[in-house]
Amino acid sequence: MGQIKGDRTVEIEAPIERCYEIAADVENATEWQGSLKDVEVLERDGERRPLLVETKSDAKVKTVRAVLRFSYDPPTGIRWVQEKGDTKSLVGSWAFEDLGSGRTRAVYSLEADPGRMLGLLLRGPAETKVRDFLLGNAAEGLKEKAEA
């Protein structure tokens, strides 16, 4: 099994600043990102934003642990890369585009190499279900939270 990658785009009836603010509040992402089970901030940047974070995520077939390093580009983007964890590699991002009239386009992207052991669990239909679950959960969760 190779890489799991994809992206989801949602249009949100909320300003770009609100969408960015919610996504950048990594510590509270478990409230709206259903696949994310636990977040522990290990290190903060000069602006007190989470810089190095340990997460536990529900990958449907297994709970997956990752230590992620975040970078921020307010209000248009957030990026993270795995430093260590259960997957061989993991890179993700949020990209935000101001559509005017208080509307935002949000794109959630994820690229993961599950590695050999986890890859054995993710074959055929399971791979598609896991990808859809991880991607759709974040994008729809952000939309729901921002529009509330």
Side-chain angles (χ1 to χ4, degrees):
M1 151 142 205
Q3 299 235 333
I4 295 176
K5 61 181 176 178
D7 56 57
R8 284 287 151 77
T9 302
V10 290
E11 291 193 7
I12 301 172
E13 297 293 330
I16 189 171
E17 295 82 7
R18 173 154 171 74
C19 297
Y20 175 86
E21 177 184 304
I22 292 166
D25 184 10
V26 177
E27 290 170 275
N28 293 306
T30 56
E31 295 173 6
W32 56 270
Q33 196 170 334
S35 63
L36 197 55
K37 298 300 173 202
D38 187 52
V39 173
E40 181 184 350
V41 177
L42 305 175
E43 187 180 322
R44 294 182 183 278
D45 68 10
E47 296 182 38
R48 305 290 305 145
R49 298 174 298 198
L51 183 63
L52 192 64
V53 174
E54 182 173 358
T55 65
K56 290 186 179 116
S57 298
D58 177 1
K60 287 290 194 193
V61 295
K62 179 183 187 318
T63 296
V64 177
R65 200 179 86 30
V67 175
L68 307 172
R69 183 162 300 273
F70 282 78
S71 58
Y72 302 86
D73 184 20
T76 59
I78 301 169
R79 184 172 162 75
W80 56 94
V81 61
Q82 176 182 282
E83 290 199 345
K84 61 183 174 179
D86 294 337
T87 59
K88 188 173 178 180
S89 67
L90 175 67
V91 176
S93 66
W94 280 106
F96 302 105
E97 178 186 351
D98 187 342
L99 298 176
S101 302
R103 297 178 65 245
T104 304
R105 178 175 293 121
V107 180
Y108 180 78
S109 299
L110 198 61
E111 188 170 323
D113 182 340
R116 187 171 167 268
M117 295 306 288
L118 188 55
L120 292 174
L121 299 172
L122 298 174
R123 297 205 178 274
E127 178 187 353
T128 302
K129 283 183 183 173
V130 168
R131 180 189 302 102
D132 289 347
F133 176 70
L134 293 174
L135 292 170
N137 222 301
E140 291 303 320
L142 178 66
K143 178 178 173 65
E144 188 175 306
K145 173 96 175 159
E147 291 179 349

